[in-house]
Amino acid sequence: MLNRPGLFVAILLVQVVCAAFFVSDMLFSILRIPVDPVPWRYRELMEIGAGFGLLIGVGLGALLLRASVRRTRLVENALRAASGAFMELVSERFDEWGLTPAERDVALFALKGFSLSEIARLRDTSEGTVKAQTNAIYRKAGVSGRPQLLSVFVEDLMGDDLTPAA
């Protein structure tokens, strides 16, 4: 029921008509615009219908909000799990390569896209030290630079799904 756009459009239209009825009724009264009288019985039915239309809109709005909050929580949990899995993968690779604690920090900053000068500033070391550490990281990882270092993790995350068939 919550995945039918036509139903929502219809309910929205009913709400617009109901709101227009109430607002126009009040404006006509305030501005003292004469309107042909509607028999009381029909007027009551119109007000009851408009009230129900607005209540249905409020109820469906609450259902949609609840569904949206639930979907957001699911996506956030999936993202948190993926982030944890990525950090686990990074840690495993760093262990395989035998990176020192300092090299691990530098490698993480490099993966996050920081420049050599930014990494040096963040670690309170010289750029030369960071450059030597990045070279050691690349050598231990068997890559020639930052793009290849990042591609190691991208390939691990993607698996062999994109490898062309022979």
Side-chain angles (χ1 to χ4, degrees):
M1 180 179 150
L2 292 177
N3 292 331
R4 296 185 184 156
L7 178 65
F8 293 122
V9 170
I11 290 171
L12 181 64
L13 287 175
V14 168
Q15 282 190 308
V16 168
V17 169
C18 295
F21 170 76
F22 281 127
V23 171
S24 66
D25 188 44
M26 285 188 285
L27 282 176
F28 290 153
S29 293
I30 291 171
L31 300 174
R32 298 173 194 229
I33 297 173
V35 179
D36 289 337
V38 177
W40 185 247
R41 180 176 286 162
Y42 295 128
R43 184 167 182 76
E44 279 183 339
L45 289 175
M46 287 172 26
E47 287 179 357
I48 289 171
F52 276 126
L54 292 173
L55 285 174
I56 289 170
V58 167
L60 284 176
L63 287 174
L64 284 173
L65 180 62
R66 191 175 94 196
S68 177
V69 167
R70 188 176 295 149
R71 259 191 312 266
T72 301
R73 282 190 193 132
L74 288 172
V75 169
E76 285 174 348
N77 289 338
L79 183 59
R80 210 173 290 120
S83 176
F86 180 73
M87 286 310 296
E88 200 173 293
L89 175 67
V90 167
S91 183
E92 287 175 14
R93 285 292 189 175
F94 288 177
D95 288 342
E96 281 177 30
W97 298 334
L99 299 184
T100 66
E103 290 170 344
R104 286 172 176 262
D105 288 344
V106 171
L108 278 175
F109 285 132
L111 288 173
K112 290 180 179 182
F114 290 99
S115 68
L116 292 178
S117 61
E118 290 171 325
I119 296 171
R121 193 172 47 250
L122 288 168
R123 299 202 67 247
D124 197 27
T125 60
S126 71
E127 278 189 55
T129 302
V130 173
K131 191 170 187 175
Q133 290 169 325
T134 55
N135 286 332
I137 293 164
Y138 301 152
R139 187 184 75 256
K140 290 178 180 182
V143 298
S144 62
R146 189 183 303 213
Q148 282 187 342
L149 180 67
L150 185 57
S151 73
V152 167
F153 296 103
V154 171
E155 287 174 12
D156 284 344
L157 289 173
M158 294 175 69
D160 294 329
D161 295 342
L162 297 179
T163 305

